[in-house]
Structures are given as structure tokens and as C-alpha cells.
Amino acid sequence: MANQYFKFKYGVPPVPERLYHLLLYDVGKLEESNWEGDQSIYSTYHVQEELQIWVQSYFDFPVIVNYQVIDKQVPIHRDVDRILCWNYLIKTGGPKVTTRWWNDDETEVVQSVVFRPHCWYELNVKQKHDVIDVEGHRVAITVWQDPVIGFKEL
């Protein structure tokens, strides 16, 4: 049976380093997106136009591209307004940071993984999941289908 929680995203190469701000200080100076959740745990920022264009060239449907910064453990949740996302980790946030998917009643971990940096992963974010063992800043580029500009059945 195929993994229904995450998979390595083939066909999208590593992001050229010149296209992203590696320093958290630089990311934090960018315009914040309209995320309304707990920003002491998770925050998002708009990427520069050049990075948006580069990422978009690898998808055949309109996408939103943001930086994602995680500073603490992320509690069990389902993403709002996203079913799938594609994440590219720039900084892992520590050597043992683990993403776990849970059954619906949150009594059992059904899948877990420690993601490697500088790889693209497709994630099922409608399934309940959390992020644990965060020791530092976890910085990623996160991508999802733009529901306003154009929807494509995935």
C-alpha cells in the first residue's frame, strides 16, 4: 500500500540557494502572510517574486508559495484550507524533529518521519498531524494549490 501521509516529490530539484533567505532575521523582515494561528509557534511569510516564479514553473496549476517558520512543537491539528502541501526544508529545527500523523481520535500515531533538508516532500495535511522535538528554528518553503486563481483536482 502506498504511503498516504507523505512522499518524496520527484521532478522538483533543490531550490537554488540564491533564491531564498537562509537567515531567519532576513525571513522575519519579509511581509507576513495572513496566517491567523499562534505565531509564537508557526509563522508564514511571502517569498520574493523570483522564488515564486521558480517554484511555479514546476507545477501545472497555480500555487501559493510562502516561507514557514516553526519555533516550537506544533500540536495535533489539521491544516485549514489545504489538503496537500509541498514543503522544502531549509533548516530542520534539530536532528530529531519528527512529523507524526495520527488516527482521527488522536490515540495512535499511524506514521512518523524525520525529514531531510533540501528535499521536496508532498504532505497530506488534512490528516491530523503534529511536529515534535523542535530544538531551533525550522525554516521551510511551503507550497499549496491556490484555491482562488485556479483549482485542479489532485
Side-chain angles (χ1 to χ4, degrees):
M1 182 171 105
N3 184 329
Q4 61 183 337
Y5 306 103
F6 74 92
K7 64 183 175 184
F8 182 75
K9 178 73 173 152
Y10 295 100
V12 183
V15 178
E17 223 175 293
R18 67 180 172 76
L19 292 180
Y20 60 79
H21 288 285
L22 183 58
L23 299 175
L24 184 65
Y25 174 76
D26 290 334
V27 171
K29 290 192 296 185
L30 296 171
E31 179 186 355
E32 287 191 47
S33 67
N34 59 356
W35 164 248
E36 295 177 5
D38 186 344
Q39 293 190 1
S40 70
I41 295 173
Y42 178 106
S43 53
T44 62
Y45 303 88
H46 296 291
V47 300
Q48 312 87 311
E49 184 178 7
E50 187 178 11
L51 177 55
Q52 172 76 39
I53 291 167
W54 186 90
V55 170
Q56 181 62 72
S57 72
Y58 291 96
F59 291 86
D60 64 352
F61 47 86
V63 294
I64 296 170
V65 183
N66 278 346
Y67 288 110
Q68 170 191 78
V69 180
I70 296 174
D71 290 316
K72 298 177 184 169
Q73 317 321 310
V74 178
I76 299 171
H77 69 287
R78 285 188 171 112
D79 284 23
V80 176
D81 298 329
R82 307 196 302 180
I83 296 169
L84 292 175
C85 72
W86 296 269
N87 285 354
Y88 179 86
L89 282 173
I90 297 168
K91 291 185 174 187
T92 62
K96 296 187 273 183
V97 176
T98 303
T99 302
R100 304 182 301 180
W101 285 265
W102 292 81
N103 63 358
D104 285 335
D105 56 4
E106 300 176 14
T107 58
E108 180 183 355
V109 173
V110 294
Q111 181 72 49
S112 67
V113 64
V114 175
F115 289 120
R116 297 180 319 190
H118 307 289
C119 297
W120 284 98
Y121 295 95
E122 180 180 291
L123 308 175
N124 173 349
V125 291
K126 268 304 179 203
Q127 180 72 30
K128 291 183 178 183
H129 59 286
D130 66 359
V131 180
I132 61 166
D133 296 329
V134 178
E135 298 175 359
H137 302 297
R138 182 177 180 92
V139 182
I141 297 167
T142 187
V143 178
W144 66 99
Q145 186 174 18
D146 189 326
V148 176
I149 294 177
F151 181 78
K152 178 179 178 180
E153 192 67 37
L154 301 176

